Amino acid sequence: MIDKDLFKFLGINKKYVFMTVAVMALGLIANISITACICFAISLAINNAEAKEFFLPAVLAAVLIAVRYACSRISGDLKDILGRKVKKDLRKQVYEKIVCLGVRSTDGMSMAGLTQVAMEGVEQLDLYYSSYIPQFFYSMLAPFVLFFICVGIDWRVSLVLLCCVPLIPVSIVAVSRYAKKIFAKYWGKYTSMGDGFLDSVQGLKELKIFKADEAQHIKMNENSEEFRKITMKVLVMQLASTTIMDLVAYGGAGIGIAIAVWGAMNGLGIPYALFLILVAVEFFLPLRAFGSTFHVAMNGASAGRKILSLLETPDPEWGKEKVDGTEIAIDNVSFSYDKKRQVLDNITMYFSPKGMTAIVGESGCGKSTVVNLLTGALRSDSGKITVGGHRIENLDRSSYYSHLSVVSYNTYIFNISVRENFLIANKNASDEDMYSALKAVNLLDFISENGGLDKIISEDASNISGGQKQRLALAVNLVADKSIYIFDEATSNIDIESEAIIMRNIKALSEKKSVIVISHRLENVVPSDKIYFLADGKIKEQGTHAELMKANLGYADLYNTQKMLEKGYMEVKA
């Protein structure tokens, strides 16, 4: 009933589990002793004892009530400490794992999925560790403690009660087989619905533009209905398991009480019979409470397996060699995502320490895969990628990234001031460096007139235009002053003016840096020193723009097609 892999997560925090169980057991003994004091007082009353004889059981009962209260408070505090420490440790492990993975994909998990795992998933595991696990061990211990207390009074009642106790775990195990499937689906539906909601909110503008918001609304309603149904199944399962446990618990207690009454009628003293009657239900209450936390355990275990899957994701392969050169070579590299279809098939490319190299081709040809290989997000199936003569997997990641900068169509601008965004890229950047970079990308006037370097960029850069966001991203990376720049569709979805400014800066940058440009618009790569034209995962053509146009093959055909489309658009616009 306890997942061993999840239990290992506790680490040194296991001590709080056993401390909690010990305190709960002490509280149980105190509670039973209070019952014994009450029965003793009743015995005194039956025998018409003097008032002073009630003093001792009264004082003992008062002390034991204080002990019981203290145990209850301490066990609650220990559970709270355990929960807080587990949450802190788990969130630290999840965060460190995501940082360790870096730019590597986390098995297709979206940002919404990662957020749910790191936040809601950890919260569910908090309950699993702080409520379920201590109750599990306490529930296993409590019936034996009670048995050894009661067996000296009447072994028959004690044995019957002890034999009935395992029926509750048996019922839990029977339910758990069905529950595991439900909770696995429940968590999957939960994360799926979260992913869909986040995508819908972030893409609301596009949905409105293409008049697809109603269709998306219907889809979200369907997802919500599926989640409602699986939630109802969870509640039905919980109600059914609770009903079964109640029947077992109170049925077993009833049998014990009946035997105790029979014993009282056949020579067992009334105080002893009363004690057994009052204690009978205590045999089942710990396991009954354990059963009530079962749904917490299943939900926590489902969330825990998501976290476990994330934490078990293999770390990216990096070495300890330092970067001592910035020429990059891709030598006979092949790559496949599913080990069936080759995305890249035996490609060879070279990127010089200075100059502009472009990788172009139609969508799906493998351009972005090349970028992911160059950044270390992916590793090739065969062949090798070298930087300064060193294989990329042998490089120290920090050393390599200190030379590398990637600007994409969705480069993130943080929800902080313009100055702080610059300082993230280069902590030693001066205001003059920032102003110079802003001027280069034609943003200086705009920033100066709207708060200067202290202007706060709102979340997702919503208070500036798309073109301004891309130009600011370029300015930040110019200040970073890296040796290798990769521009992955950096001019996608922005205005013509911003595109021209960005491309002008990219060309100027290539005079002293190694610049790699990925672009769907071939007009942007005309000034390149070398162009690689990909198709079907292979390099079909390579050379300068003039050389490729002269060859009049795939590149020239795609370039001419784009020019005709752009010309037709301009004529329609005019």
Side-chain angles (χ1 to χ4, degrees):
M1 292 183 185
I2 289 183
D3 191 308
K4 294 180 180 179
D5 293 328
L6 293 179
F7 190 68
K8 291 178 183 177
F9 273 150
L10 282 172
I12 61 173
N13 293 320
K14 291 187 181 77
K15 63 182 181 181
Y16 293 105
V17 173
F18 299 114
M19 289 168 64
T20 301
V21 173
V23 172
M24 292 172 73
L26 179 60
L28 173 65
I29 294 172
N31 199 42
I32 297 304
S33 299
I34 293 170
T35 303
C37 289
I38 293 172
C39 292
F40 181 61
I42 292 173
S43 175
L44 292 174
I46 292 173
N47 294 319
N48 297 315
E50 297 180 6
K52 63 181 181 180
E53 295 184 48
F54 288 91
F55 178 75
L56 180 60
V59 171
L60 283 175
V63 172
L64 290 167
I65 288 172
V67 171
R68 181 73 181 86
Y69 173 76
C71 289
S72 179
R73 290 293 301 270
I74 293 171
S75 65
D77 291 341
L78 286 172
K79 288 180 180 180
D80 182 59
I81 292 171
L82 175 62
R84 284 189 283 109
K85 285 185 174 291
V86 166
K87 281 196 291 186
K88 182 180 179 181
D89 291 347
L90 277 175
R91 287 205 171 105
K92 182 179 179 182
Q93 289 183 56
V94 170
Y95 178 77
E96 288 178 348
K97 185 64 179 183
I98 293 172
V99 170
C100 182
L101 291 173
V103 296
R104 180 175 178 172
S105 170
T106 53
D107 292 333
M109 192 178 293
S110 68
M111 185 54 63
L114 284 174
T115 302
Q116 287 171 324
V117 165
M119 300 302 294
E120 182 65 20
V122 172
E123 287 293 338
Q124 292 295 337
L125 267 181
D126 166 27
L127 296 173
Y128 175 81
Y129 288 126
S130 63
S131 298
Y132 179 80
I133 289 183
Q135 189 65 38
F136 171 81
F137 288 110
Y138 173 65
S139 300
M140 299 299 106
L141 176 65
F144 291 100
V145 172
L146 292 168
F147 174 77
F148 286 115
I149 291 174
C150 297
V151 70
I153 299 174
D154 191 313
W155 65 270
R156 294 164 298 182
V157 175
S158 302
L159 188 61
V160 167
L161 292 172
L162 185 65
C163 290
C164 289
V165 166
L167 295 177
I168 292 181
V170 169
S171 67
I172 294 174
V173 170
V175 172
S176 67
R177 295 183 178 181
Y178 174 64
K180 284 182 180 179
K181 296 179 181 179
I182 292 180
F183 276 107
K185 292 179 180 179
Y186 173 84
W187 189 255
K189 294 290 184 184
Y190 178 70
T191 54
S192 176
M193 189 175 68
D195 290 347
F197 180 77
L198 181 63
D199 288 342
S200 299
V201 172
Q202 290 181 336
L204 187 58
K205 180 175 65 176
E206 285 73 17
L207 290 171
K208 287 287 186 182
I209 290 172
F210 292 105
K211 296 182 179 180
D213 53 314
E214 184 177 354
Q216 186 67 9
H217 179 236
I218 294 172
K219 184 178 179 181
M220 286 184 63
N221 285 343
E222 292 173 351
N223 290 338
S224 299
E225 179 62 16
E226 289 178 1
F227 182 68
R228 185 193 67 81
K229 288 179 179 179
I230 195 70
T231 302
M232 291 301 104
K233 287 184 179 179
V234 169
L235 295 176
V236 168
M237 181 273 299
Q238 292 173 4
L239 182 61
S241 62
T242 301
T243 302
I244 293 171
M245 286 185 293
D246 283 344
L247 289 173
V248 173
Y250 295 115
I255 294 172
I257 291 170
I259 296 175
V261 171
W262 178 81
M265 296 170 62
N266 291 273
L268 183 66
I270 292 177
Y272 296 108
L274 179 61
F275 177 80
L276 291 174
I277 289 170
L278 294 175
V279 170
V281 74
E282 292 286 348
F283 272 81
F284 302 95
L285 287 180
L287 276 167
R288 172 67 178 76
F290 170 69
S292 298
T293 63
F294 180 70
H295 69 282
V296 173
M298 290 295 98
N299 209 12
S302 296
R305 280 187 282 273
K306 286 277 187 180
I307 295 175
L308 190 63
S309 176
L310 173 63
L311 295 179
E312 289 180 345
T313 302
D315 292 338
E317 299 176 10
W318 292 98
K320 297 183 178 179
E321 297 179 4
K322 302 297 181 182
V323 175
D324 52 14
T326 55
E327 67 277 8
I328 301 175
I330 298 177
D331 186 14
N332 295 317
V333 164
S334 295
F335 179 81
S336 172
Y337 288 99
D338 56 9
K339 308 304 178 185
K340 295 178 182 179
R341 186 181 72 86
Q342 288 292 102
V343 178
L344 297 176
D345 187 8
N346 201 36
I347 67 168
T348 297
M349 298 179 178
Y350 175 77
F351 308 95
S352 62
K354 292 182 182 180
M356 177 176 170
T357 306
I359 304 173
V360 299
E362 296 182 354
S363 296
C365 67
K367 302 188 297 295
S368 294
T369 302
V370 173
V371 173
N372 288 328
L373 289 169
L374 292 176
T375 59
L378 300 174
R379 291 286 185 247
S380 61
D381 296 332
S382 62
K384 63 181 180 178
I385 299 173
T386 59
V387 181
H390 303 280
R391 294 181 71 109
I392 192 170
E393 59 268 25
N394 295 334
L395 292 174
D396 175 76
R397 182 167 67 173
S398 297
S399 176
Y400 179 46
Y401 283 176
S402 69
H403 290 79
L404 178 67
S405 181
V406 180
V407 183
S408 68
Y409 65 92
N410 62 347
T411 298
Y412 195 80
I413 303 296
F414 290 90
N415 181 202
I416 49 180
S417 69
V418 173
R419 177 185 282 104
E420 289 171 310
N421 271 286
F422 276 110
L423 292 176
I424 287 176
N426 184 350
K427 63 181 180 180
N428 298 317
S430 64
D431 286 2
E432 289 73 19
D433 295 332
M434 300 177 196
Y435 285 128
S436 178
L438 289 170
K439 183 178 181 180
V441 299
N442 199 26
L443 269 182
L444 181 58
D445 291 341
F446 171 78
I447 295 297
S448 299
E449 294 169 2
N450 289 274
L453 295 176
D454 294 319
K455 174 182 174 60
I456 300 296
I457 303 298
S458 62
E459 187 175 354
D460 201 27
S462 60
N463 60 340
I464 58 178
S465 70
Q468 289 168 337
K469 175 186 174 182
Q470 287 300 92
R471 282 186 276 158
L472 180 57
L474 175 58
V476 168
N477 280 277
L478 290 176
V479 167
D481 192 27
K482 300 298 180 74
S483 305
I484 305 166
Y485 283 84
I486 299 176
F487 294 93
D488 183 12
E489 302 287 8
T491 61
S492 179
N493 301 323
I494 61 174
D495 57 278
I496 298 296
E497 179 187 1
S498 295
E499 182 180 44
I501 293 170
I502 290 173
M503 292 312 303
R504 185 170 65 246
N505 277 276
I506 289 175
K507 182 55 182 176
L509 190 65
S510 69
E511 295 176 2
K512 51 184 177 180
K513 307 286 186 179
S514 178
V515 173
I516 303 169
V517 176
I518 313 294
S519 180
H520 67 281
R521 187 166 182 260
L522 301 189
E523 187 65 33
N524 290 333
V525 304
V526 170
S528 300
D529 300 300
K530 191 164 190 176
I531 300 171
Y532 291 99
F533 179 70
L534 288 177
D536 300 323
K538 298 180 179 180
I539 299 176
K540 296 294 186 178
E541 303 172 56
Q542 56 181 296
T544 64
H545 172 75
E547 291 170 345
L548 296 180
M549 291 301 292
K550 185 177 181 181
N552 199 28
L553 297 174
Y555 175 86
D557 183 55
L558 184 58
Y559 179 83
N560 290 328
T561 300
Q562 287 187 3
K563 290 294 287 185
M564 290 177 63
L565 290 172
E566 290 174 7
K567 182 180 179 182
Y569 170 76
M570 294 302 293
E571 289 176 351
V572 170
K573 186 178 179 181

